[in-house]
Amino acid sequence: MAFPLPPPMRRALDLAAVAADAGEVPVGAVVTLGDEIIAEARNSMRGNLDPTAHAEMVAIRNAATRLGRSRLDGCTLWVTLEPCAMCAGAVALARLDALRFAAEDPKGGGVVHGARVFAQPTCHHRPDVLGGLGEEEAAAQLRTFFSDRRDRSGA
């Protein structure tokens, strides 16, 4: 029996679809405080000509602005793909209480793969991490996006 996705992850997956429609890698992110969504974003590197405009980074910035503080104590980040090392570092610096992600990223992930940022002795804050929420849908979005790009390029 499949369990329904938590609403913040459902919203993140919807934002990932919007990113794909805009030609961006399909990743969406949502920040919650309690049950309230306080910020959301999708990947926007190409559209903003900003290599740091990952969904997580933009959502964290938006949440900090909305709350008027740089530390996001009490908040949870919901994202459709395991954060890269840059985004995992931002999660630690923002002091987010929890990280929830859908699909693992064996090539570019920085949480359970690659740099494993939260496992490093130099990481001063480690959120509660749970992956696999909506993994099948997130992975399918990514496969479709990259397959379509390969088909268009003739590769």
Side-chain angles (χ1 to χ4, degrees):
M1 177 178 158
F3 293 98
L5 284 175
M9 186 58 78
R10 174 76 264 147
R11 179 63 184 147
L13 287 161
D14 292 345
L15 289 164
V18 172
D21 289 344
E24 302 276 359
V25 174
V27 178
V30 167
V31 177
T32 57
L33 179 58
D35 292 334
E36 181 186 2
I37 292 176
I38 61 166
E40 60 182 41
R42 63 168 177 81
N43 269 0
S44 57
M45 289 97 54
R46 295 176 66 130
N48 288 338
L49 304 176
D50 178 358
T52 69
H54 292 200
E56 302 96 307
M57 299 292 286
V58 177
I60 288 169
R61 287 183 198 126
N62 291 345
T65 298
R66 170 131 184 232
L67 295 177
R69 54 187 167 106
S70 62
R71 291 195 174 185
L72 300 178
D73 302 317
C75 294
T76 299
L77 175 67
W78 304 77
V79 62
T80 60
L81 184 63
E82 174 187 349
C84 69
M86 174 183 69
C87 294
V91 167
L93 291 170
R95 305 293 199 268
L96 284 150
D97 281 3
L99 168 66
R100 304 290 181 250
F101 67 89
E104 290 187 7
D105 185 357
K107 289 184 180 179
V111 177
V112 297
H113 296 93
R116 298 174 196 216
V117 171
F118 305 134
Q120 302 306 314
T122 54
C123 183
H124 300 296
H125 175 77
R126 292 166 182 81
D128 178 64
V129 176
L130 178 63
L133 301 170
E135 180 174 17
E136 289 180 23
E137 184 174 344
Q141 286 178 330
L142 289 157
R143 275 192 306 275
T144 299
F145 178 80
F146 288 112
S147 175
D148 289 351
R149 292 181 69 84
R150 280 191 300 276
D151 291 347
R152 281 196 302 263
S153 71

